[in-house]
């Protein structure tokens, strides 16, 4: 069956995201737009996942626990996990590999932690949006060890893209899916990068604003609407 | 001691964002690195920072480190929103047709003289 998805959405925990990217706003906006499954992928953190998952459970939206990791090479990887527990295990590893840089709200923006009723329960003080010390290879290995899936993020872009930073998508990483940004034409992209033909592609919003969340634009064919089925397809 | 204004004239740099009050700021060093996290940790206040990145994060790193100015080498085109943000945050952006290596060499020579 066909399910409408958007597998790359930030909450107000990401410093560059708008403050109204709250758990309830995200879930309700995704439902208004007719989505069936979303993934929440804050920069280097899993701390707002529980709240969004809880709202999703209540409102009937499947929320995949995820993270947008910024590796030591400054490459963004969308990491998706089978459950909150694995996302938290990975977060522990990432946090122990963050550079000791405090967030400056005046420069980067606030990093807001919320509960399932959109109450502010705190702020993350370490800067989340920069690189951590984990390199791509280690990160991929660790996510897969936790039964998660790694998708290189927005590879068509100039910044934080694996293709731009490494100049290639190394075949030894065995990716199945690559992410393109919302408005990137796949035909144009493959014309410019013919060697990347064998991969599957998924467009995601990388939403930092509520309005950016995808409409019914990207669908996946799954046996049922479960995390297992989704990760099984992407793996 | 050289100011950003003098540097701009001596190297024939193109001014992308002119922040009048910043143009008299002293240039005390030069640093080049395209890994933003590394640059963030290493740029000293008063440094000229040379990077090929032209995204919004460059403005954040420049503000955070209080570098003298940013030079984009090799006539690389700069994102419109980066120029807007740089004006807003009062970060001087300059550009040059020269490479980062040549710019470093010339700036170090000027600082030494």
């Amino acid at each position: 069956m066909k399910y409408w998805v958007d597998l790359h959405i930030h909450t107000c925990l990401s410093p560059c995201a708008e403050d109204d990217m709250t758990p309830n706003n995200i879930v309700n906006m995704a439902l208004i737009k007719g989505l069936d499954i979303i993934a929440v992928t804050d920069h280097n953190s899993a701390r707002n996942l529980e709240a969004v998952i809880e709202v999703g459970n209540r409102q009937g939206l499947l929320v995949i626990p995820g993270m947008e990791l910024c590796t030591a090479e400054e490459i963004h990887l969308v990491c998706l996990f089978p459950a909150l527990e694995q996302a938290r295990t990975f977060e522990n590893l990432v946090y122990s590999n963050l550079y000791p840089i405090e967030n400056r709200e005046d420069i980067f923006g606030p990093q807001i932690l919320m509960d399932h009723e959109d109450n502010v329960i705190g702020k993350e003080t370490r800067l989340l949006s920069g690189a951590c010390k984990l390199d791509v290879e280690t990160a991929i290995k660790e996510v897969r060890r936790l039964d998660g899936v790694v998708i290189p993020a927005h590879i068509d872009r100039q910044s934080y893209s694996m293709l731009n930073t490494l100049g290639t998508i190394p075949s030894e990483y065995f990716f199945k899916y690559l992410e393109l940004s919302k408005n990137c034409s796949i035909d144009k992209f493959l014309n410019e990068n013919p060697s990347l033909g064998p991969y599957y592609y998924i467009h995601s919003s990388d939403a930092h604003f509520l309005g950016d969340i995808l409409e019914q634009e990207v669908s996946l064919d799954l046996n049922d609407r479960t995390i297992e089925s989704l990760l099984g397809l992407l793996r | 001691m050289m100011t950003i204004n003098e540097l701009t004239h001596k190297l024939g740099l193109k001014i992308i964002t002119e922040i009048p009050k910043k143009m008299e700021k002293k240039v005390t060093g030069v640093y080049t690195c395209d890994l933003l996290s590394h640059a963030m940790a290493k740029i000293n206040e008063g440094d000229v920072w040379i990077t090929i990145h032209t995204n919004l994060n460059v403005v954040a790193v420049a503000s955070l480190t209080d570098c003298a100015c940013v030079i984009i080498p090799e006539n690389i085109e700069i994102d419109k929103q980066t120029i807007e943000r740089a004006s807003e945050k009062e970060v001087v952006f300059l550009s040059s047709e020269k490479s980062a290596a040549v710019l470093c060499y010339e700036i170090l020579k000027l600082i030494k003289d």
Side-chain angles (χ1 to χ4, degrees):
Chain A
M1 201 178 146
K2 195 158 108 172
Y3 293 98
W4 298 104
V5 304
D6 186 351
L7 302 182
H8 187 162
I9 297 176
H10 291 267
T11 77
C12 49
L13 175 56
S14 296
C16 38
E18 289 288 285
D19 294 355
D20 62 3
M21 292 298 272
T22 67
N24 283 277
N25 283 353
I26 290 170
V27 168
N28 287 323
M29 182 58 91
L31 289 170
I32 287 168
K33 295 206 175 202
L35 300 183
D36 302 302
I37 305 171
I38 63 167
V40 170
T41 53
D42 281 312
H43 293 297
N44 292 350
S45 181
R47 301 235 155 143
N48 267 351
L49 289 179
E50 186 174 13
V52 189
I53 290 169
E54 196 171 332
V55 178
N57 285 341
R58 199 172 61 202
Q59 307 277 74
L61 179 74
L62 179 61
V63 177
I64 313 291
M67 182 190 293
E68 182 174 28
L69 181 74
C70 186
T71 70
E73 303 91 336
E74 292 188 335
I75 290 169
H76 281 182
L77 300 176
V78 167
C79 308
L80 305 176
F81 298 94
L84 192 54
E85 193 191 332
Q86 287 88 340
R88 283 183 170 151
T89 305
F90 187 66
E91 183 194 62
N92 283 336
L93 177 70
V94 174
Y95 269 46
S96 64
N97 282 284
L98 285 180
Y99 285 94
I101 301 171
E102 295 282 297
N103 183 34
R104 286 263 311 266
E105 286 196 7
D106 57 326
I107 292 174
F108 299 104
Q111 302 180 146
I112 304 166
L113 295 162
M114 285 199 163
D115 69 9
H116 64 282
E117 284 171 339
D118 289 1
N119 296 310
V120 176
I121 53 170
K123 282 188 178 177
E124 181 55 70
T125 55
R126 279 161 290 190
L127 178 63
L128 295 173
S129 63
C132 71
K133 294 174 200 161
L134 292 175
D135 59 67
V136 168
E137 203 168 324
T138 310
I140 293 170
K141 205 171 80 192
E142 288 301 319
V143 174
R144 288 181 181 159
R145 200 174 55 80
L146 294 163
D147 295 322
V149 169
V150 181
I151 302 174
H154 41 67
I155 59 161
D156 54 298
R157 283 202 213 147
Q158 285 268 312
S159 26
Y160 303 116
S161 125
M162 178 174 283
L163 185 56
N164 195 52
T165 302
L166 300 185
T168 179
I169 303 293
S171 57
E172 67 263 31
Y173 294 154
F174 298 106
F175 295 120
K176 182 173 175 188
Y177 274 83
L178 306 176
E179 185 197 271
L180 295 175
S181 42
K182 195 175 175 175
N183 297 319
C184 173
S185 143
I186 188 157
D187 291 339
K188 189 165 167 274
F189 178 81
L190 286 178
N191 262 333
E192 289 161 5
N193 301 281
S195 67
L196 297 179
Y199 288 99
Y200 288 91
Y201 288 88
I202 185 157
H203 285 82
S204 296
S205 70
D206 190 8
H208 288 70
F209 305 88
L210 280 172
D212 288 346
I213 294 173
L214 293 184
E215 312 265 325
Q216 293 187 337
E217 295 164 71
V218 177
S219 64
L220 293 173
D221 205 3
L222 305 173
N223 290 332
D224 50 20
R225 193 173 65 156
T226 58
I227 300 186
E228 297 73 47
S229 291
L230 179 89
L231 296 191
L233 178 81
L234 299 176
R235 197 174 276 130
Chain B
M1 197 74 99
M2 182 175 45
T3 64
I4 299 176
N5 214 354
E6 288 162 353
L7 176 84
T8 307
H9 288 113
K10 282 180 178 163
L11 294 185
L13 304 172
K14 191 170 152 208
I15 299 174
I16 306 298
T17 54
E18 185 163 18
I19 318 292
K21 64 177 181 196
K22 290 271 177 87
M23 298 308 279
E24 293 309 314
K25 199 172 163 167
K26 301 274 184 271
V27 171
T28 49
V30 58
Y31 190 77
T32 181
C33 178
D34 297 316
L35 210 51
L36 298 183
S37 50
H38 196 78
M40 204 186 308
K42 297 284 182 174
I43 295 170
N44 292 312
E45 188 187 338
D47 277 352
V48 172
W49 175 30
I50 306 172
T51 175
I52 61 162
H53 286 305
T54 64
N55 58 64
L56 282 177
N57 303 296
V58 174
V59 183
V61 172
S63 303
L64 189 77
T65 56
D66 223 357
C67 66
C69 61
V70 178
I71 304 182
I72 308 296
E74 302 180 33
N75 281 337
I76 292 167
E77 200 182 323
I78 304 170
D79 299 353
K80 194 169 152 262
Q81 48 173 355
T82 301
I83 298 173
E84 284 166 9
R85 180 72 63 85
S87 303
E88 191 186 305
K89 297 281 179 188
E90 303 191 327
V91 176
V92 178
F93 265 63
L94 306 166
S95 101
S96 170
E97 76 286 356
K98 293 169 186 161
S99 72
V102 171
L103 286 166
C104 283
Y105 171 73
E106 293 187 350
I107 294 168
L108 284 170
K109 249 184 13 177
L110 285 171
I111 290 172
K112 224 173 134 194
D113 291 342

